[in-house]
Amino acid sequence: MRVIDNEADEPLTINILPMIDVIFAILAFFIISTLFLTRAEGFSVDLPDAESSESQQEAFITVTIEANGDISIEKEPVALDDLTETVQERVGDSSEALVTVQADETIDYGQVIAVMDKLRMVEGASLGMATQQPAPAETSPAETSQ
């Protein structure tokens, strides 16, 4: 039995519009996912009163930046330009020394970066940021009852 087809034969075509949509969706997925894979280089800094701060080894040298912008090493005032040489003298021949930066939380971020930049020039020094752990929360009588 023969089927008679009265419709005109259309040439076969490949509709690429859905394929373009799929390719753009995949491209957008890869672009967005790679944004989350980038890692910010720099110091892992805990801000003052950070609950996640941990105690580290004892600081070899402590650099303090006060609220008025004064810089001191072990409570001795030092100028920003002299900071690298002063710390290098204190580190001496030590192969590894921890330099802790204690900055007032109200100090300008730019000044903290300037101090850290000078300290990075000291060979054998690793930097740390000082934070305070918050006081333990007081428990209310309702929480302590059994």
Side-chain angles (χ1 to χ4, degrees):
M1 174 177 199
R2 185 170 183 211
V3 178
I4 300 174
D5 189 11
N6 293 337
E7 294 181 16
D9 288 337
E10 292 182 17
L12 295 176
T13 59
I14 297 175
N15 190 358
I16 63 169
L17 289 178
M19 185 171 39
I20 291 173
D21 290 342
V22 170
I23 289 173
F24 278 127
I26 292 172
L27 180 65
F29 170 76
F30 283 117
I31 289 172
I32 291 172
S33 63
T34 56
L35 292 176
F36 292 108
L37 295 176
T38 59
R39 198 175 77 177
E41 294 296 325
F43 290 102
S44 173
V45 178
D46 292 324
L47 297 176
D49 291 335
E51 291 182 24
S52 63
S53 63
E54 298 176 8
S55 298
Q56 299 294 323
Q57 66 186 30
E58 195 66 30
F60 185 76
I61 298 172
T62 303
V63 177
T64 306
I65 307 171
E66 297 176 43
N68 60 3
D70 293 341
I71 302 169
S72 60
I73 299 175
E74 306 294 339
K75 299 183 181 178
E76 295 177 14
V78 64
L80 180 62
D81 297 330
D82 302 330
L83 187 62
T84 304
E85 293 82 18
T86 306
V87 173
Q88 185 66 54
E89 290 173 9
R90 291 186 182 228
V91 169
D93 295 330
S94 177
S95 63
E96 187 173 315
L98 178 63
V99 179
T100 303
V101 178
Q102 290 182 337
D104 190 278
E105 63 182 327
T106 60
I107 196 69
D108 182 39
Y109 182 70
Q111 186 165 7
V112 175
I113 295 299
V115 167
M116 292 172 69
D117 188 43
K118 293 287 186 180
L119 292 174
R120 279 185 163 174
M121 295 180 196
V122 178
E123 292 183 353
S126 59
L127 296 179
M129 295 297 295
T131 61
Q132 288 182 340
Q133 290 183 342
E138 294 183 24
T139 57
S140 65
E143 292 176 353
T144 56
S145 63
Q146 295 180 357

